[in-house]
Amino acid sequence: MHSMANGVTAQTLTEAVADHLRRLIHLGEVGPGDRLPAERDLAEQLGIARLSLREALKTLQNDGYVEVRRGARGGTYVTELKEPVARWRARMRTVSGEFDDIVDFRIALETETARLAAVRRGPADLAALRETIDDLSRAHDRTAFRQSDSRFHAALATAARSTRLLAAVESIRAELFNTYDLLPFVDPVQESVDDHQAVYRAVEAGDVDGATAAIRDHIENARAQLRAIVFDGDPFGAPDRRTDAEAGAREERGR
Amino acid sequence: MHSMANGVTAQTLTEAVADHLRRLIHLGEVGPGDRLPAERDLAEQLGIARLSLREALKTLQNDGYVEVRRGARGGTYVTELKEPVARWRARMRTVSGEFDDIVDFRIALETETARLAAVRRGPADLAALRETIDDLSRAHDRTAFRQSDSRFHAALATAARSTRLLAAVESIRAELFNTYDLLPFVDPVQESVDDHQAVYRAVEAGDVDGATAAIRDHIENARAQLRAIVFDGDPFGAPDRRTDAEAGAREERGR
DNA sequence: CTACAAAGGTACAAGGTCTGTACCTTGCAC
DNA sequence: GTGCAAGGTACAGACCTTGTACCTTTGTAG
């Protein structure tokens, strides 16, 4: 027998709660400056003891996600996220291939999502998609931009009638974090609106190939933008860019 | 603020271990009749206390995945899996859309996997793929068939150079369980070999569209076969069709 | 400038989980 | 029928989770 391998561990409530909250922050559900509910309330909402929540908040505090203030106007506030974003960026630069691995996975999920959406969408789905694009084009700050962007992709997965794709699309977005705060704000908005509209038109028309091509372009655009953020100013030069065209030439260790 | 929603829970070690072992069984890493390592050894391999392992085994025992025998030739043996397969089948029939949801997700993962493999594969990858197909065509029993099949898809994800796709492909295969034991054995072998060879040829040729089309066909074939197992007449022909609730209620004592 | 209210901070006891260690029981093989 | 390789059981210590109670900080209304 083989591969009964190791690595099995329990997850404490504290860890689970910290992961949950960290994910909400990564997804932009709560952004810099937002205040979380009071400990007692939040603990009740999450169905856990206050102490467990407090320990989770302590973790997030240590990692620089939130800061805690006492007194009447006290509470737990999301920070500007400079520290965690810096750590995320360092990891993306350090762990070879991690960045492209995530984006490749996202492409796998979203191209098929777009394909299914083009086939299965109904009028209500189209309306929901239009609304997210309208919100996006009207977004006046980064938080609104983030949320509209997230909701477009969620609406697409909803139109695709796939609960697993919806969940996975959200998960992988959380892994990419939310780094728009590091970009100049104006550029990405118009580009993103254009990309989303292209996807929408193909989905509305039931154009399967057009929809997959449009979403692939969109994610490749996002990849390029994020790559600039992550690797900009690297003294050792850009790491190898695994485009599909190039990568075929190289070959790796056997297995 | 919204969506701070509920549902956060810790996972006990026992649960984690049970999930891990159940997954190995679902993937066919260990099959009917196989014996797991002795409790003391397995606990050490997994890095956990024996009691935690024992509780996990108790769970699997209750669910009909394994049976435990004492004495010199004793140990923990994987059952014929009739009970869990019946439960799985009942669930697929009952939970509306669950079956297609899983297969749709699998298509999302594997089409992009095939696409990337066609672009990034090296000679070693091609050799590994050929080997799994050879194994498959020589498979004399269901266990060998299962393993070769799994390994082909793993090799494909390896050729695609994507750790996340590899992990996700494995996960979703575990959710589909391993129901080949319910099929007549001869048919699917030749079909499956043909399908895999079609994928291989496209990947070898670097034919992106051919590879995605071939893997999509393969999975749609698998969908049709599985659908027949899941939704068509009872494979055991018994007019007495037990619901899973009934099945769980009976046959409780015999252990 | 004082009292109140709304937050976070701390303490403790009861019950559950995980570990390490030790010892008992079963049943095949010789 | 003895040896021995399994599983079966017991227990104490450390850690995690919960419920409850009470303390401290700080903005602000009066």
Side-chain angles (χ1 to χ4, degrees):
Chain A
M1 186 151 314
H2 69 108
S3 80
M4 224 85 221
N6 50 20
V8 197
T9 21
Q11 192 185 33
T12 67
L13 235 202
T14 296
E15 289 164 356
V17 173
D19 287 351
H20 176 71
L21 296 176
R22 199 181 293 109
R23 178 189 161 115
L24 290 182
I25 294 175
H26 279 202
L27 285 172
E29 294 279 326
V30 293
D34 287 352
R35 205 198 78 174
L36 302 188
E39 288 182 355
R40 287 171 178 84
D41 299 342
L42 184 49
E44 192 183 12
Q45 281 179 42
L46 296 170
I48 61 175
R50 191 178 160 216
L51 182 56
S52 307
L53 172 60
R54 283 181 57 69
E55 283 175 355
L57 291 177
K58 190 70 180 287
T59 303
L60 295 186
Q61 208 177 344
N62 289 335
D63 292 351
Y65 280 91
V66 300
E67 56 190 5
V68 175
R69 295 200 281 274
R70 296 178 65 167
R73 278 293 176 89
T76 307
Y77 293 82
V78 178
T79 67
E80 290 300 313
L81 301 176
K82 295 209 193 319
E83 203 189 313
V85 167
R87 250 202 310 281
W88 176 85
R89 182 168 176 261
R91 173 158 163 245
M92 290 300 124
R93 296 171 74 140
T94 304
V95 182
S96 174
E98 180 82 345
F99 176 78
D100 283 307
D101 202 83
I102 296 175
V103 177
D104 287 347
F105 192 70
R106 197 183 156 198
I107 287 177
L109 298 175
E110 300 228 29
T111 53
E112 184 68 10
T113 299
R115 185 179 179 283
L116 292 176
V119 173
R120 300 178 180 172
R121 83 282 179 269
D125 299 309
L126 293 174
L129 284 169
R130 277 196 303 273
E131 193 177 338
T132 64
I133 297 179
D134 288 349
D135 287 349
L136 193 69
S137 61
R138 284 197 304 266
H140 49 291
D141 60 21
R142 300 172 195 278
T143 300
F145 176 76
R146 259 194 309 252
Q147 287 198 348
S148 309
D149 187 42
S150 282
R151 282 177 190 156
F152 174 82
H153 293 277
L156 198 66
T158 302
R161 306 275 186 275
S162 171
T163 59
R164 275 174 181 75
L165 282 173
L166 176 55
V169 163
E170 270 220 332
S171 275
I172 202 68
R173 282 179 70 86
E175 282 203 74
L176 272 181
F177 211 138
N178 218 313
T179 48
Y180 292 112
D181 292 337
L182 298 179
L183 273 179
F185 184 52
V186 179
D187 296 353
V189 172
Q190 191 53 52
E191 284 181 28
S192 202
V193 169
D194 292 347
D195 282 4
H196 286 198
Q197 273 173 340
V199 173
Y200 173 78
R201 281 193 299 270
V203 167
E204 184 190 36
D207 175 2
V208 167
D209 293 335
T212 57
I215 196 91
R216 190 181 288 273
D217 284 352
H218 172 47
I219 300 179
E220 288 295 353
N221 286 342
R223 189 204 302 255
Q225 286 188 352
L226 277 179
R227 182 186 301 286
I229 296 175
V230 172
F231 295 110
D232 204 18
D234 188 337
F236 305 114
D240 82 330
R241 166 83 161 88
R242 299 192 312 186
T243 52
D244 295 344
E246 302 161 7
R250 295 176 304 133
E251 62 204 32
E252 302 286 337
R253 61 270 146 104
R255 211 147 295 262
Chain B
M1 189 150 314
H2 69 105
S3 79
M4 223 86 221
N6 49 19
V8 196
T9 20
Q11 192 186 33
T12 67
L13 234 202
T14 296
E15 290 164 355
V17 172
D19 287 350
H20 176 71
L21 297 177
R22 199 182 294 111
R23 178 188 161 114
L24 290 181
I25 294 174
H26 278 204
L27 284 171
E29 294 278 327
V30 293
D34 287 352
R35 206 198 76 174
L36 303 188
E39 288 183 355
R40 287 170 178 86
D41 300 342
L42 185 49
E44 193 184 12
Q45 281 179 42
L46 296 171
I48 60 175
R50 193 178 158 214
L51 180 57
S52 307
L53 173 59
R54 281 180 58 69
E55 283 175 356
L57 291 177
K58 189 70 178 290
T59 303
L60 295 186
Q61 208 179 342
N62 287 336
D63 292 351
Y65 281 92
V66 300
E67 55 190 5
V68 175
R69 294 201 282 274
R70 298 178 63 165
R73 276 296 173 88
T76 307
Y77 293 83
V78 178
T79 68
E80 290 300 314
L81 301 177
K82 295 212 195 314
E83 203 188 314
V85 166
R87 251 201 310 279
W88 176 85
R89 181 168 175 261
R91 174 162 162 243
M92 289 299 124
R93 297 172 75 139
T94 304
V95 182
S96 173
E98 179 83 344
F99 177 76
D100 284 309
D101 202 83
I102 296 176
V103 177
D104 286 348
F105 192 70
R106 196 184 158 198
I107 288 177
L109 298 175
E110 300 228 30
T111 52
E112 184 68 9
T113 299
R115 185 179 179 283
L116 292 176
V119 174
R120 299 178 180 171
R121 82 282 179 269
D125 299 309
L126 294 175
L129 285 168
R130 278 196 303 272
E131 193 178 337
T132 64
I133 297 179
D134 288 349
D135 287 349
L136 193 69
S137 60
R138 286 195 304 265
H140 291 337
D141 59 22
R142 301 170 194 281
T143 301
F145 176 78
R146 260 195 306 254
Q147 287 198 347
S148 309
D149 187 42
S150 282
R151 282 176 190 157
F152 174 83
H153 293 277
L156 198 66
T158 301
R161 307 276 187 275
S162 171
T163 59
R164 274 174 183 75
L165 281 173
L166 176 55
V169 163
E170 272 221 330
S171 275
I172 202 67
R173 282 180 69 86
E175 282 202 75
L176 272 181
F177 211 136
N178 218 313
T179 47
Y180 291 112
D181 292 338
L182 297 180
L183 273 181
F185 186 52
V186 178
D187 296 352
V189 172
Q190 191 53 50
E191 285 181 28
S192 202
V193 169
D194 292 347
D195 281 5
H196 286 197
Q197 273 174 340
V199 174
Y200 173 78
R201 280 193 299 271
V203 167
E204 184 189 35
D207 176 3
V208 167
D209 293 334
T212 57
I215 196 89
R216 189 181 289 272
D217 284 352
H218 173 46
I219 300 179
E220 288 295 355
N221 286 343
R223 189 204 301 255
Q225 286 189 353
L226 277 180
R227 183 187 301 283
I229 297 176
V230 171
F231 293 106
D232 287 357
D234 191 328
F236 302 119
D240 162 33
R241 180 167 300 156
R242 306 182 309 180
T243 68
D244 57 335
E246 291 164 344
R250 297 186 220 168
E251 67 191 8
E252 196 49 42
R253 215 57 65 211
R255 326 224 126 80

